[in-house]
Amino acid sequence: MSILEKDKIDGMGKEKDGKTLVLMISDHLGWDNEKDHLFLLQEKINMYLSFIENGQYTEVYKDFKPLAFEVIRQLTCQRSICSTKVLGLRR
């Protein structure tokens, strides 16, 4: 999965605390075209918000009622440029 597949969740899991659902966005794109890249991120984040609001995560975690959500953007890029951004989304 990747940022280009805006109708897919790239990764999902529960934190060890048992209260947080973590969703991952896999972003392999460069920033040569910043406007398009930001638009793709916006579209992907909007889809994730809809996924959370509609409770679609219950299709995988049937009885899980998270108190918090985290969306993590995992970058795939060259050497020292790589980093992870975390956007905390709280109910």
Side-chain angles (χ1 to χ4, degrees):
M1 313 289 170
S2 83
I3 190 172
L4 297 175
E5 297 175 275
K6 52 185 174 181
D7 61 334
K8 306 272 187 212
I9 299 294
D10 298 341
M12 179 171 61
K14 294 190 285 187
E15 280 284 353
K16 292 179 185 176
D17 67 8
K19 300 175 184 174
T20 305
L21 183 67
V22 178
L23 302 171
M24 185 192 79
I25 296 174
S26 180
D27 184 356
H28 66 285
L29 300 177
W31 288 94
D32 295 338
N33 191 336
E34 185 175 334
K35 183 179 175 184
D36 287 345
H37 194 158
L38 288 172
F39 179 76
L40 287 171
L41 274 174
Q42 178 182 356
E43 290 291 302
K44 190 80 168 188
I45 290 169
N46 286 339
M47 190 278 295
Y48 276 40
L49 291 173
S50 177
F51 178 84
I52 292 167
E53 289 172 348
N54 293 329
Q56 291 173 276
Y57 57 87
T58 60
E59 294 172 16
V60 176
Y61 298 112
K62 303 217 182 304
D63 296 324
F64 185 53
K65 294 182 180 8
L67 298 177
F69 298 90
E70 287 184 17
V71 176
I72 298 174
R73 183 173 148 248
Q74 179 65 46
L75 300 177
T76 306
C77 55
Q78 297 175 351
R79 296 180 230 152
S80 62
I81 304 172
C82 290
S83 66
T84 300
K85 302 281 184 181
V86 177
L87 304 171
L89 302 174
R90 304 282 179 204
R91 272 191 173 181

